């Protein structure tokens, strides 16, 4: 702990009642109580799992309910600390096991999706926007509401896809249907959306019927690997994180097979700016089984083997941190309803997940990548001006003209 806490101060009350203080102070100052010796041992041997489970179980108590400050203190110090030798050994062990943890064949992939996305739909209603967008919003203006930023995300992607009325669009991992419905309603596309979540499929299908779009949107409960069709456009938002490195060639191979020769694909995924790493064991167990956030080098290594032109790569930095802050605030405004759906332990688990996720984007180099892919060198214009057609041009560009 002395090597870990080099900024701010962490005060720890141990099971026997002794309180120890770590860090020089001058920044965030957080106090915690560890309730039993078993948790002390777990924090030594498996710190990420011990931290998450200890908080969920109420055996690790954060004074003044300062979860955000506590997680900020830990993650900020990880950027500056001298890692103990044991932590490095544990990291190497996780690296060796990561391909096993990310093995997601068809049957296992569906079970992994069900673990998270087949939770009660009422839970997601507590914190998502009305369109049920469960991915990074696009805050084109800092004062946007969550609803406005999620709509901006969809239209930004649609402009990259350059959709024309009547085009066939495949939405891989369609969620509750918001992207597919937007592309059909606002852009005249014929959309096929696929998901492995029974809950999402039922909601998306109902929404299409209620919107009078059932003739233009076909939501299917199936694995994308079972398709055998061609599409003018392919979009995938927030699904690639569930693919797993052992399946990257398989994934992009299918995208290449499905895409028309003059088509455009847009893959939107959480990514890391560091070299390849591992997923937190707590996240794997409780939140996203089989999940992994890729380094750009891992994604592009698979893309380049499938004969694609990478026509655009965009990196969104703090957009997801802002999205998660909105989600957390909405969730906490409805925490009593979440506890009624599940229990207090679940509420603590979900709080821990949302706060840790937000701070990974603020402090630990997580971002969002958007990869625009084509088979043809001239499938998209030679400049990015088309993304801003119909919008006011910046003053400095008007002056240059």
């Amino acid at each position: 702990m002395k090597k870990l806490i080099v900024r701010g101060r962490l005060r720890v009350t141990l099971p026997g009642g002794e309180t120890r203080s770590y860090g020089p102070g001058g920044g965030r100052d957080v106090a915690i109580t560890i309730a039993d010796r078993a948790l002390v041992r777990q924090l030594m041997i498996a710190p990420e799992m011990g931290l998450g489970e200890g908080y969920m179980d109420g055996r690790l108590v954060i004074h003044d309910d300062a979860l955000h400050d506590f997680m900020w203190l830990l993650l900020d110090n990880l950027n500056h600390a001298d890692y103990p030798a044991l932590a490095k050994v544990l990291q190497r062990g996780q690296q060796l096991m990561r391909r096993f943890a990310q093995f997601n064949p068809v049957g296992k992939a569906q079970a992994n999706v069900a673990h998270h996305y087949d939770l009660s739909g009422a839970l997601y209603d507590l914190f998502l926007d009305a369109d049920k967008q469960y991915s990074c919003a696009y805050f084109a203006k800092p004062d946007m509401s969550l609803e406005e930023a999620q709509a901006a995300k969809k239209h930004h992607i649609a402009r990259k896809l350059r959709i024309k009325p009547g085009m066939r669009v495949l939405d891989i991992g369609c969620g509750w249907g918001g992207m597919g419905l937007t592309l059909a309603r606002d852009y005249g596309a014929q959309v096929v959306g696929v998901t492995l979540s029974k809950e999402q499929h039922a909601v998306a299908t109902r929404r299409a019927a209620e919107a009078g779009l059932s003739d233009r949107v076909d939501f299917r409960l199936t694995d994308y690997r079972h398709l055998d069709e061609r599409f003018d456009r392919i979009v995938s938002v927030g699904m690639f994180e569930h693919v797993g490195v052992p399946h990257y060639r398989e994934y992009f191979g299918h995208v290449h097979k499905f895409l028309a020769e003059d088509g455009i694909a847009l893959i939107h995924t959480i990514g890391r700016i560091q070299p390849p790493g591992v997923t937190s064991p707590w996240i794997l167990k409780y939140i996203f089984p089989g999940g992994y956030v890729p380094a750009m080098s891992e994604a592009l290594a698979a893309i380049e083997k499938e004969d694609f032109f990478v026509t655009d790569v965009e990196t969104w930095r703090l957009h997801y941190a802002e999205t998660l802050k909105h989600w957390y605030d909405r969730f906490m405004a409805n925490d009593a309803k979440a506890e009624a759906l599940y229990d207090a332990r679940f509420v603590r688990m979900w709080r821990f997940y949302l706060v840790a996720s937000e701070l990974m984007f603020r402090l630990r180099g997580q971002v969002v990548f958007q990869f625009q892919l084509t088979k043809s060198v001239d499938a998209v214009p030679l400049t990015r001006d088309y993304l801003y057609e119909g919008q006011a041009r910046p003053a400095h560009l008007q002056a240059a003209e």
Side-chain angles (χ1 to χ4, degrees):
M1 291 295 292
K2 289 178 181 177
K3 291 183 178 180
L4 175 62
I5 307 300
V6 296
R7 295 157 65 93
R9 179 177 288 111
L10 178 64
R11 288 170 286 128
V12 182
T13 300
L14 297 168
E18 176 189 1
T19 297
R20 299 182 183 181
S21 180
Y22 303 96
R28 281 174 167 77
D29 192 320
V30 181
I32 66 172
T33 295
I34 299 175
D36 59 72
R37 293 185 63 82
L39 180 56
V40 176
R41 289 191 293 270
Q42 187 180 11
L43 288 167
M44 288 291 295
I45 297 169
E48 292 179 67
M49 188 67 77
L51 190 67
E53 290 186 339
Y55 179 73
M56 288 166 58
D57 296 339
R59 295 182 297 138
L60 187 152
V61 179
I62 305 171
H63 297 197
D64 299 323
D65 199 26
L67 176 61
H68 193 276
D69 283 341
F70 175 60
M71 295 301 295
W72 186 294
L73 181 68
L74 292 183
L75 292 174
D76 181 48
N77 272 282
L78 286 175
N79 292 331
H80 301 91
D82 178 18
Y83 284 91
L86 177 59
K88 294 180 180 178
V89 171
L90 292 172
Q91 286 179 339
R92 292 192 191 102
Q94 291 176 347
Q95 288 276 5
L96 292 173
M97 293 297 292
R98 76 182 198 129
R99 291 188 71 85
F100 174 77
Q102 297 170 29
F103 181 58
N104 292 317
V106 173
K108 187 180 178 185
Q110 184 154 21
N112 289 342
V113 165
H115 177 94
H116 190 87
Y117 295 99
D118 284 343
L119 294 169
S120 170
L123 169 69
Y124 293 101
D125 289 337
L126 299 181
F127 66 95
L128 296 182
D129 64 301
D131 195 45
K132 297 178 79 73
Q133 288 293 303
Y134 194 29
S135 61
C136 180
Y138 185 53
F139 290 87
K141 298 178 182 179
D143 59 346
M144 278 182 161
S145 68
L146 180 62
E147 280 73 16
E148 290 170 335
Q150 290 291 11
K153 181 264 302 290
K154 290 182 292 178
H155 292 298
H156 187 71
I157 289 173
R159 286 192 292 271
K160 286 189 175 184
L161 289 169
R162 296 183 60 77
I163 296 173
K164 297 178 181 178
M167 282 186 169
R168 296 194 75 226
V169 179
L170 171 62
D171 184 357
I172 302 176
C174 62
W176 290 278
M179 177 63 74
L181 294 172
T182 296
L183 297 181
R185 180 188 61 244
D186 298 344
Y187 296 88
Q190 293 286 330
V191 180
V192 172
V194 296
T195 177
L196 292 176
S197 166
K198 296 178 181 179
E199 174 77 16
Q200 289 184 335
H201 176 258
V203 171
T205 300
R206 185 183 71 243
R207 292 181 68 193
E210 291 172 352
L213 294 171
S214 297
D215 60 330
R216 284 187 273 168
V217 184
D218 177 14
F219 292 119
R220 303 177 189 176
L221 183 63
T222 188
D223 193 293
Y224 73 95
R225 290 169 284 197
H226 290 158
L227 297 177
D228 188 19
E229 303 171 51
R230 277 289 184 98
F231 297 90
D232 302 297
R233 302 290 188 262
I234 297 175
V235 63
S236 183
V237 179
M239 180 271 184
F240 189 65
E241 301 92 324
H242 302 283
V243 171
V245 176
H247 302 277
Y248 283 1
R249 287 290 308 278
E250 179 182 28
Y251 175 86
F252 286 111
H254 278 86
V255 171
H256 193 276
K257 182 177 78 169
F258 299 152
L259 189 63
E261 291 303 314
D262 59 350
I264 303 170
L266 191 287
I267 312 301
H268 169 120
T269 178
I270 300 172
R272 66 181 74 221
I273 63 169
Q274 301 95 345
V278 297
T279 303
S280 159
W282 185 85
I283 289 288
L284 285 173
K285 181 176 180 179
Y286 289 101
I287 307 298
F288 293 118
Y292 175 67
V293 172
M296 185 180 289
S297 59
E298 293 174 296
L300 289 176
I303 290 170
E304 68 185 13
K305 293 181 174 66
E306 299 302 332
D307 198 25
F308 279 117
F309 286 96
V310 182
T311 47
D312 192 84
V313 179
E314 186 174 3
T315 302
W316 295 4
R317 288 157 290 138
L318 292 173
H319 293 273
Y320 218 148
E322 293 301 314
T323 304
L324 285 153
K325 185 178 185 301
H326 278 277
W327 289 348
Y328 180 81
D329 290 344
R330 291 179 178 214
F331 180 78
M332 291 307 299
N334 292 288
D335 61 342
K337 294 179 181 178
E339 186 170 343
L341 285 171
Y342 292 98
D343 55 28
R345 185 175 187 265
F346 181 92
V347 171
R348 288 193 294 271
M349 178 188 77
W350 210 257
R351 288 186 66 192
F352 191 88
Y353 152 57
L354 292 174
V355 169
S357 297
E358 176 196 340
L359 295 182
M360 288 297 288
F361 286 93
R362 296 198 188 278
L363 300 172
R364 297 289 289 164
Q366 283 199 176
V367 295
V368 169
F369 297 136
Q370 285 191 347
F371 300 105
Q372 186 192 60
L373 311 175
T374 69
K375 290 182 177 180
S376 171
V377 68
D378 57 356
V380 296
L382 297 184
T383 74
R384 303 179 85 245
D385 289 354
Y386 68 92
L387 290 177
Y388 308 103
E389 290 173 357
Q391 301 183 30
R393 291 177 63 74
H396 72 280
L397 291 182
Q398 295 180 24
E401 293 168 352

